[in-house]
């Protein structure tokens, strides 16, 4: 199980790097949200919060978007 979690974490980190390289901020947010959910399950709450917050804060007030809402709700649960 630990090996699978580590592999999943590496996949999410890779997805974040690809999204950054492509300047695909919404895809980066999705990958960061998925990684933060995984970290939360591992009780790494501070790392989850920092990971997601670093992407989420770049969006400012962009209205109602399901990905932004999901990220905001997750961030609130990590506070």
């Amino acid at each position: 199980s630990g090996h699978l979690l580590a592999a999943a974490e590496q996949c999410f980190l890779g997805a974040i790097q690809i999204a950054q390289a492509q300047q695909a901020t919404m895809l980066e947010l999705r990958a960061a949200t998925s990684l933060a959910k995984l970290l939360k399950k591992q009780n790494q709450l501070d790392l989850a919060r920092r990971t997601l917050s670093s992407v989420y804060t770049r969006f400012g007030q962009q209205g109602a978007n399901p990905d932004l809402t999901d990220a905001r709700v997750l961030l609130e649960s990590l506070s």
Side-chain angles (χ1 to χ4, degrees), residues 10-56:
Q10 287 304 309
C11 286
F12 291 135
L13 289 169
I16 290 169
Q17 289 176 337
I18 291 168
Q20 288 170 342
Q22 296 178 349
Q23 298 179 344
T25 314
M26 190 59 71
L27 295 178
E28 184 182 356
L29 179 68
R30 289 178 183 171
T33 300
S34 296
L35 177 57
K37 288 177 181 179
L38 179 66
L39 292 169
K40 181 180 178 183
K41 288 180 182 177
Q42 297 174 356
N43 207 32
Q44 298 182 52
L45 304 182
D46 188 55
L47 182 56
R49 182 174 36 256
R50 286 185 283 128
T51 299
L52 185 53
S53 182
S54 69
V55 180
Y56 180 78

Side-chain angles (χ1 to χ4, degrees), residues 53-66:
S53 182
S54 69
V55 180
Y56 180 78
T57 55
R58 286 188 262 149
F59 283 89
Q61 300 295 325
Q62 289 199 7
N65 172 296

